[in-house]
Amino acid sequence: MNYNWNWGVFFQQTPDGDAFYWEWIVSGLLWTLAVSAAAWLIALVLGSVIGVIRTTERTWLVRLGNAWVELFRNIPLLVQMFLWYFVIPEFIPPLKGWMTSTEPIYAQFLAAVLCLGLFTSARIAEQVRAGIQSLPRGQRMAGRALGLSEVQVYRHVLLPMAFRIVIPPLTSETMNLIKNSSIALTIGLMELTFRSREMGEYTFNFFEAFSAATIIYIAIAMTANRVMAWVERRAAVPGYIAGGGR
Amino acid sequence: MAMIEIRDVSKWYGAFQVLKDCTTKVEKGEVVVVCGPSGSGKSTLIKTVNGLEAFQKGEILVNGIPVHDPRTNLSKLRAGVGMVFQHFELFPHLTVRQNLALAQVKVLKRAKDEADARGVRYLERVGLAAHADKFPGQLSGGQQQRVAIARALSMDPICMLFDEPTSALDPEMINEVLDVMVELAKEGMTMMVVTHEMGFARKVAHRVIFMDHGQIVEDAAKDDFFGTPRSDRAQQFLAKILHH
Ligand SMILES: Nc1ncnc2c1ncn2[C@@H]1O[C@H](COP(=O)(O)OP(=O)(O)OP(=O)(O)O)[C@@H](O)[C@H]1O
Ligand SMILES: [Mg+2]
């Protein structure tokens, strides 16, 4: 392939003349990180709660949890993004009012965070449920036999082990979330992919623009991976063999 | 008043009846061994005593407190009834010390220091004080089970339930656990013990209960049981397990 790479393009002025192209990319990166971080918090909290209630003995709670997981797993992510941005606000007038009066990017940010947060919460709920159910049944019994309440058994006995077991799948859900955040470009959120495409369209240097995006996505994913690996090492239990050896 | 009183207890899993009109009692200071073939309902029966397994019919009183009554605070009742499981069930992410302190602090509301001191005292009793800061995964099976017994004792239980405490252990570790249990029995602890260790039964049991198909087939004083069990089934069972 004969292509003249022009890395200098990042230091050219944008059409408005008030920024350089590299600043677009950095601003896109910051929105990607902001959306991912906010959605991850929602996903972790909701996913843990939904995952836990699916392992209780209360049928209606289990059903509620199952319905949640099915709902968010079975609708394509892209459709969910459109629903959160275009459809759901129509049913919530105060939300609609806020979204039309504020800067578009805040409305897009909120929709993207809710969409990605809830979608990922369903996936994390599934991991947390599996983690809890992989623990020996006797652990719950031993906790109850000591007089601990159901909430205390989860808090002090089941969840500390379940979360340790769930760290590796949680890592891949985190990386999926970061990659999925690029879908927010479809509702106009100026995140990393949006900005790269925009830069390509203005300069025709698509290769450079998307190379930058690719490298940045890889760097984020690798960082997330390293951080989770560090957490896993820190949380490792001396002498514990995964699966308990039973 | 008996420490544990079980009256006409029946339990079903769907159409399958696991317990059939079981009636027995354990007096204060008494050691009762429960034996019987696999699947006969021993674990289920012993778990009904502290309400870990619900039952549909009958009554159980522990120190006069009705387990079957929905108004009974089961957490409080369980805190006073020690239980030891076949697979130890120590909490793997907590050190031995923390395993012993957890329920003392969370359930009995003891101060951390007090709970810790008491835990260490019971660890000394089972000969494991040197291992207080290890994690369960760093101990042998026999050591883990002794820690589990110490954990139950540190709650100051009024009686102790054991569900096959030695059957998951390698043979060379069985005695270190039985020794602790024998000592406990000699101190006058009320104990209900599911086990096939007939040596233990001979040494310290007052009574032996034999179960089969969810029924209490034989409930006899130790000497009567080992002399001539009345039922054929119990005789066959004894012959089988005393062989090896
Ligand atoms: N959750 C359950 N659902 C249906 N059946 C069950 C359940 N738990 C136990 N059972 C059945 O109840 C019967 C009694 O079980 P239990 O565990 O009390 O027997 P056990 O005497 O302790 O046997 P073992 O010596 O193997 O421990 C068995 O036939 C078992 O298959
Ligand atoms: Mg059993």
Side-chain angles (χ1 to χ4, degrees), chain A residues 180-196:
Chain A
N180 285 340
S181 70
S182 64
I183 286 182
L185 81 86
T186 57
I187 58 169
L189 181 71
M190 292 192 274
E191 45 67 71
L192 182 56
T193 308
F194 183 105
R195 285 298 201 177
S196 310

Side-chain angles (χ1 to χ4, degrees), chain B:
Chain B
M1 182 177 58
M3 182 60 85
I4 301 171
E5 178 131 20
I6 300 174
R7 291 189 202 133
D8 284 323
V9 167
S10 291
K11 177 181 171 75
W12 288 263
Y13 283 118
F16 175 66
Q17 189 168 3
V18 222
L19 296 178
K20 298 174 186 159
D21 295 317
C22 295
T23 299
T24 188
K25 46 168 102 166
V26 182
E27 297 293 340
K28 198 161 184 290
E30 205 176 19
V31 176
V32 173
V33 161
V34 181
C35 61
S38 181
S40 56
K42 308 178 297 289
S43 298
T44 309
L45 181 69
I46 203 169
K47 282 172 187 158
T48 58
V49 172
N50 60 354
L52 285 180
E53 294 277 5
F55 48 97
Q56 286 83 15
K57 215 185 119 246
E59 294 179 340
I60 296 184
L61 299 170
V62 176
N63 204 20
I65 298 162
V67 179
H68 52 278
D69 188 338
R71 284 165 304 182
T72 298
N73 180 344
L74 278 183
S75 282
K76 198 170 158 213
L77 181 131
R78 288 173 184 143
V81 177
M83 182 148 201
V84 176
F85 298 84
Q86 183 173 5
H87 293 288
F88 331 134
E89 305 304 348
L90 297 177
F91 307 134
H93 61 291
L94 300 177
T95 62
V96 166
R97 193 189 286 279
Q98 292 166 332
N99 261 281
L100 269 66
L102 179 64
Q104 292 188 64
V105 173
K106 299 294 169 191
V107 182
L108 303 181
K109 311 287 178 207
R110 285 184 184 147
K112 273 214 166 73
D113 294 347
E114 191 196 340
D116 191 60
R118 194 178 292 251
V120 170
R121 233 181 22 244
Y122 282 107
L123 273 184
E124 275 163 10
R125 267 198 54 175
V126 299
L128 291 172
H131 300 275
D133 294 306
K134 287 192 178 164
F135 286 87
Q138 297 170 313
L139 301 179
S140 73
Q143 291 172 329
Q144 289 188 54
Q145 194 62 300
R146 280 145 68 199
V147 171
I149 294 172
R151 181 172 74 177
L153 291 176
S154 63
M155 300 291 285
D156 297 328
I158 52 172
C159 61
M160 291 278 290
L161 309 173
F162 294 81
D163 188 5
E164 303 208 38
T166 58
S167 60
L169 295 175
D170 292 335
E172 74 271 19
M173 295 173 185
I174 290 177
N175 280 328
E176 65 187 70
V177 172
L178 287 180
D179 288 347
V180 170
M181 291 170 61
V182 166
E183 202 178 310
L184 208 54
K186 286 186 175 153
E187 283 166 19
M189 175 62 83
T190 310
M191 294 162 70
M192 187 167 172
V193 185
V194 175
T195 185
H196 290 164
E197 292 295 333
M198 289 303 136
F200 171 80
R202 284 216 159 115
K203 208 184 273 177
V204 293
H206 299 99
R207 278 182 20 249
V208 180
I209 291 174
F210 175 76
M211 287 186 75
D212 196 19
H213 295 298
Q215 260 171 324
I216 294 181
V217 178
E218 189 108 16
D219 183 346
K222 172 182 61 179
D223 293 332
D224 296 341
F225 185 82
F226 287 115
T228 40
R230 279 161 295 175
S231 67
D232 291 347
R233 287 201 149 276
Q235 278 176 21
Q236 286 164 13
F237 178 78
L238 269 185
K240 220 183 284 170
I241 61 168
L242 291 182
H243 257 167
H244 48 239

Side-chain angles (χ1 to χ4, degrees), chain A residues 193-242:
Chain A
T193 308
F194 183 105
R195 285 298 201 177
S196 310
R197 194 181 63 167
E198 192 182 25
M199 175 182 160
E201 279 166 356
Y202 279 119
T203 62
F204 295 105
N205 290 99
F206 279 103
F207 283 9
E208 289 81 353
F210 279 113
S211 298
T214 305
I215 291 166
I216 291 171
Y217 276 119
I218 292 174
I220 299 173
M222 281 170 61
T223 310
N225 209 339
R226 292 295 139 80
V227 170
M228 295 296 270
W230 176 80
V231 171
E232 191 174 2
R233 270 199 312 279
R234 282 296 306 266
V237 175
Y240 181 77
I241 306 134

